[in-house]
Amino acid sequence: MAGLLAPHPPHLVYAENPEQNEPSSEGGWEQLRWGYERLRESLSEIDYDCLVILSPHWQTYVGTHFLGVENFKSLSVDPVFPNLFRFHYDMKIDVELAQAIHDEAQGQGMSVKMMENPDFRVDYGTITSCHMVRPQWDKPIVAISSNRGHAYYSVEVMQEMMLELGRATRKAIEDSGKRCVLIASNSLSHRHFTTESAVPEDMSVEHITSHAMHLWDMRIIELLRAGKSQQVVNEMPEFVEQAIAEADGGALTWMLSAIGMPEHGAILHGYGTIIGTGNAIMEWPCHAWSDA
Ligand code: 2X7
Ligand code: FE2
């Protein structure tokens, strides 16, 4: 098992110019794309069966949902950046593992549901992170929604639910015997510009929105590099409130819980901003830890 923080701004796919994406670019956001390159290199050394991902852009307001159809194939258009992301995806789902995590979470009293509509359009967060982690699209995926508990309760309640979902995920994966890479798909600080430059990939205008956002990003990265996962979870309410952090969707807390709230330091593969938001690419190579 390995855990990843793998952010999903569609700009990264746009800048890569894969054949599945309709718009074309002159590149951009290289610091982050080189970070993803280093992550892919690191993952190429391990053999795994499946990607398990939680995306804050699949928003379900009644419980946590799991994609529950073997194959999803369609066009995904980013609602905010249709000029950057019109991506033709063809995705295999590990329905068996999705169902097992669903059942385990249900057994723990969580509100959960399998999403069995074959015409459902998969969100761009799931697609972007999966593409950047594994552009070959040859691994089955378990995709988990964000139940937005912070919106109608609080960040604290959302965290508790994600800790429980993480434990259920871990138990179901262990029982399945499958080797999984778990992806928290989110940016860190998430205050973004409200206008776009004429050339979106013009890097002369790319920077963090404010010093305060930079300080929060660096704090979270240093804590994770130092193995202080529990402290990050403890500080999440302040981080979410002050940095409008995209970890509000629960992905980071879920992933840290699923890999056992590690005290081992994470590897930082890259950091960069995208329309002012802070994004870190990080890896927790649990498979290499003797106590894992
Ligand atoms: O979804 C995103 C994001 N999280 C950050 C920046 C830009 C676009 O999309
Ligand atoms: Fe996002």
Side-chain angles (χ1 to χ4, degrees):
M1 190 141 85
L4 308 179
L5 175 59
H8 57 244
H11 304 63
L12 296 171
V13 166
Y14 167 70
E16 297 267 305
N17 288 309
E19 61 179 20
Q20 297 99 321
N21 200 31
E22 290 177 8
S24 69
S25 74
E26 297 179 297
W29 303 280
E30 281 76 8
Q31 306 288 341
L32 277 162
R33 294 196 291 117
W34 291 331
Y36 263 114
E37 236 173 74
R38 288 188 284 273
L39 169 65
R40 290 192 293 267
E41 234 167 75
S42 175
L43 290 177
S44 72
E45 288 164 16
I46 63 166
D47 199 13
Y48 60 94
D49 303 305
C50 165
L51 297 168
V52 184
I53 181 167
L54 195 152
S55 164
H57 290 278
W58 181 14
Q59 307 192 350
T60 53
Y61 283 79
V62 182
T64 297
H65 298 206
F66 300 80
L67 292 187
V69 177
E70 297 280 335
N71 179 248
F72 288 96
K73 187 174 176 178
S74 188
L75 172 67
S76 169
V77 179
D78 185 308
V80 182
F81 300 100
N83 54 328
L84 308 184
F85 192 85
R86 295 194 298 279
F87 191 93
H88 298 264
Y89 63 93
D90 186 355
M91 168 183 295
K92 278 182 293 185
I93 302 297
D94 187 335
V95 178
E96 190 186 33
L97 183 57
Q99 182 77 54
I101 301 172
H102 165 281
D103 294 352
E104 189 63 42
Q106 192 168 48
Q108 296 305 317
M110 296 192 74
S111 169
V112 285
K113 187 172 168 58
M114 294 299 286
M115 210 299 303
E116 287 165 339
N117 174 0
D119 299 323
F120 180 76
R121 228 168 332 117
V122 179
D123 71 283
Y124 76 85
T126 298
I127 294 169
T128 296
S129 293
C130 288
H131 181 83
M132 296 306 290
V133 169
R134 188 80 184 177
Q136 301 93 317
W137 288 98
D138 59 351
K139 299 281 184 194
I141 290 163
V142 172
I144 307 176
S145 76
S146 169
N147 75 19
R148 317 314 284 172
H150 63 285
Y152 53 90
Y153 293 122
S154 65
V155 178
E156 286 85 345
V157 170
M158 182 79 188
Q159 299 303 300
E160 287 303 320
M161 289 193 283
M162 292 303 101
L163 292 170
E164 190 64 56
L165 184 64
R167 288 188 286 267
T169 303
R170 183 184 182 85
K171 172 81 170 50
I173 290 174
E174 278 172 358
D175 290 351
S176 76
K178 288 182 178 163
R179 296 157 303 178
C180 299
V181 171
L182 275 67
I183 306 176
S185 169
N186 59 265
S187 302
L188 292 177
S189 70
H190 200 236
R191 192 178 278 287
H192 46 70
F193 307 147
T194 51
T195 55
E196 190 179 49
S197 54
V199 177
E201 59 269 43
D202 178 356
M203 290 295 101
S204 69
V205 291
E206 184 61 79
H207 58 84
I208 193 78
T209 39
S210 72
H211 183 49
M213 298 296 119
H214 176 78
L215 291 179
W216 261 118
D217 286 346
M218 295 309 119
R219 178 175 180 81
I220 297 297
I221 288 169
E222 289 301 2
L223 287 172
L224 293 173
R225 289 179 73 215
K228 297 186 176 168
S229 329
Q230 185 61 55
Q231 191 176 335
V232 168
V233 171
N234 295 348
E235 294 188 10
M236 200 62 87
E238 284 79 10
F239 178 44
V240 166
E241 187 189 344
Q242 294 173 22
I244 334 295
E246 206 183 23
D248 64 352
L252 182 58
T253 305
W254 159 78
M255 186 276 294
L256 290 173
S257 166
I259 65 170
M261 210 50 74
E263 292 179 5
H264 292 266
I267 302 165
L268 175 68
H269 288 295
Y271 173 83
T273 66
I274 298 188
I275 58 158
T277 65
N279 297 272
I281 300 164
M282 304 188 81
E283 178 186 6
W284 287 258
C286 318
H287 51 89
W289 304 336
S290 55
D291 57 350

